[in-house]
Amino acid sequence: MQTTKNATEEKTVAVANRRRFISIGAATGLASAVPWAFAQDGYPKQPIRIVVPFAAGSGTDAVARITAQMLGEALRGSVIVDNKAGANGVIGAEAVAKAPPDGYTLFMTTNTTHSANPSLMKSLPYDPVKDFAPVSRMGNLPFMLVVNNDLPVKSVAELLAWGRAHPGKLTYASGNSTGIVSGATLSRMSGVPMLHVPYKSTPPAIADLIGGQVSMMVVDLAAGLATVRAGKMRAIAVTTQERTKLFPELPPLADTPELKGFDITSWNGVFAPAGTPRDIVLKLNKALSEMANGAAFRERVSKLGFDAFGSTPEELGAFTVSELAKWRKLIQAAGIQPE
């Protein structure tokens, strides 16, 4: 009888210890091993991928990495950045358009894929309206005109005068549609011939500008500000009609008489594949728009030269349609033929 009683007591103690071990494990290592544990019964249950259609080191990439970190914290999940650069953003856009509409693939992009490409290219493997579900705008990327340090100019007026005095010598690099359209518009409005030198993305274009292979380029502040401040290239103007608070000492191109009315602004937004469930889009929108309108995000991206603000999905959708028409006019006015 005593042996049976001891065995029963030992079994009871063992069960209690096992339960205690499981409880301690769940409260420490086991819970922390799964970053989205708090969302076990809902979205997200696995890592979210943000596709960026430009190379690492570009302005959009820099903003996307801050977005990924803070979105992961907001959703208590894991968010990674996936760079799919090339073909003026087409490779990344097509990949997202064909991805499963389950909320685990997002697209952080700009006017390149969703405003300009339909007018720059004869055919596209995606439709910027039909193939995507708008989530939220994230802000604007002001662009600036920068020149090689060896070019003896410190203003737009001096640049145009130099170009007229040295016909056929000015070249401009581009790593995205804003660079393409801005350069062509600058040449058309001023009447100064400029040779376009396209690049796969912004970082190699900046490298060649610094090295003197090209004369100038229009680059977003997020990608070029640090290089300008380091004295490796010279900024002489912004492409927006008004000065930007992010670099207030730079005058607008429109201040130059020949360029009156010049106004080109790049924007940034997040999309999902068309067909993504509405409840997931709304959850993402809440997290992203609150982030973009919040002080913490704004402070971090302002150091990159990014002007942050959020929107509703409907606002981004309507904005995309209006921007398609705006960029069509800009591209036609610049005399750029679709390729």
Side-chain angles (χ1 to χ4, degrees), residues 128-274:
V129 175
K130 295 179 182 179
D131 291 339
F132 298 87
V135 180
S136 177
R137 283 188 71 180
M138 296 303 292
N140 287 336
L141 299 93
F143 273 61
M144 59 184 171
L145 176 61
V146 295
V147 299
N148 174 266
N149 280 338
D150 292 333
L151 199 65
V153 303
K154 294 184 178 179
S155 69
V156 177
E158 290 181 2
L159 173 69
L160 298 182
W162 191 92
R164 293 188 179 102
H166 302 81
K169 295 296 185 179
L170 281 180
T171 56
Y172 68 94
S174 71
N176 48 50
S177 67
T178 303
I180 295 170
V181 178
S182 294
T185 302
L186 175 60
S187 179
R188 180 191 64 80
M189 292 182 72
S190 67
V192 177
M194 301 175 186
L195 176 65
H196 178 213
V197 183
Y199 287 79
K200 182 178 179 180
S201 62
T202 297
I206 291 177
D208 275 6
L209 173 64
I210 294 171
Q213 281 74 38
V214 290
S215 310
M216 60 186 187
M217 71 180 293
V218 169
V219 63
D220 55 285
L221 269 67
L225 198 54
T227 308
V228 167
R229 287 176 173 164
K232 296 180 179 179
M233 61 185 184
R234 185 183 308 120
I236 60 175
V238 290
T239 63
T240 50
Q241 197 161 25
E242 303 292 335
R243 291 178 185 254
T244 171
K245 61 184 179 181
L246 302 172
F247 204 159
E249 59 266 41
L250 283 185
L253 279 161
D255 282 3
T256 304
E258 301 100 312
L259 304 176
K260 185 178 180 180
F262 194 109
D263 185 16
I264 296 179
T265 301
S266 178
W267 57 270
N268 185 293
V270 174
F271 295 80

Side-chain angles (χ1 to χ4, degrees), residues 33-338:
V34 185
W36 52 89
F38 291 100
Q40 293 182 76
D41 299 324
Y43 172 85
K45 290 183 178 180
Q46 65 189 53
I48 296 171
R49 178 176 61 129
I50 298 180
V51 173
V52 174
F54 308 113
S58 62
T60 302
D61 171 74
V63 174
R65 292 184 184 280
I66 295 173
T67 300
Q69 178 191 341
M70 296 185 70
L71 180 61
E73 293 169 357
L75 297 179
R76 297 185 178 182
S78 177
V79 183
I80 61 173
V81 172
D82 182 6
N83 296 92
K84 290 189 177 296
N88 213 34
V90 171
I91 294 173
E94 183 180 15
V96 175
K98 294 180 178 180
D102 54 11
Y104 293 103
T105 299
L106 302 178
F107 192 37
M108 176 167 277
T109 192
T110 70
N111 48 282
T112 289
T113 63
H114 276 57
S115 301
N117 276 354
S119 296
L120 290 174
M121 301 181 179
K122 291 181 179 179
S123 63
L124 286 176
Y126 69 92
D127 186 300
V129 175
K130 295 179 182 179
D131 291 339
F132 298 87
V135 180
S136 177
R137 283 188 71 180
M138 296 303 292
N140 287 336
L141 299 93
F143 273 61
M144 59 184 171
L145 176 61
V146 295
V147 299
N148 174 266
N149 280 338
D150 292 333
L151 199 65
V153 303
K154 294 184 178 179
S155 69
V156 177
E158 290 181 2
L159 173 69
L160 298 182
W162 191 92
R164 293 188 179 102
H166 302 81
K169 295 296 185 179
L170 281 180
T171 56
Y172 68 94
S174 71
N176 48 50
S177 67
T178 303
I180 295 170
V181 178
S182 294
T185 302
L186 175 60
S187 179
R188 180 191 64 80
M189 292 182 72
S190 67
V192 177
M194 301 175 186
L195 176 65
H196 178 213
V197 183
Y199 287 79
K200 182 178 179 180
S201 62
T202 297
I206 291 177
D208 275 6
L209 173 64
I210 294 171
Q213 281 74 38
V214 290
S215 310
M216 60 186 187
M217 71 180 293
V218 169
V219 63
D220 55 285
L221 269 67
L225 198 54
T227 308
V228 167
R229 287 176 173 164
K232 296 180 179 179
M233 61 185 184
R234 185 183 308 120
I236 60 175
V238 290
T239 63
T240 50
Q241 197 161 25
E242 303 292 335
R243 291 178 185 254
T244 171
K245 61 184 179 181
L246 302 172
F247 204 159
E249 59 266 41
L250 283 185
L253 279 161
D255 282 3
T256 304
E258 301 100 312
L259 304 176
K260 185 178 180 180
F262 194 109
D263 185 16
I264 296 179
T265 301
S266 178
W267 57 270
N268 185 293
V270 174
F271 295 80
T276 299
R278 178 68 175 171
D279 59 333
I280 290 179
V281 169
L282 291 177
K283 184 170 185 177
L284 287 166
N285 172 263
K286 184 176 186 298
L288 288 169
S289 60
E290 287 181 357
M291 179 197 310
N293 291 323
F297 182 79
R298 285 185 170 186
E299 181 179 357
R300 291 183 65 179
V301 297
S302 68
K303 296 175 182 177
L304 301 171
F306 186 82
D307 185 17
F309 55 85
S311 76
T312 66
E314 291 74 21
E315 287 169 342
L316 176 55
F319 177 76
T320 301
V321 173
S322 67
E323 285 292 289
L324 282 166
K326 174 184 173 180
W327 281 80
R328 185 182 307 115
K329 292 179 181 178
L330 284 171
I331 290 166
Q332 290 174 348
I336 301 173
Q337 297 299 317

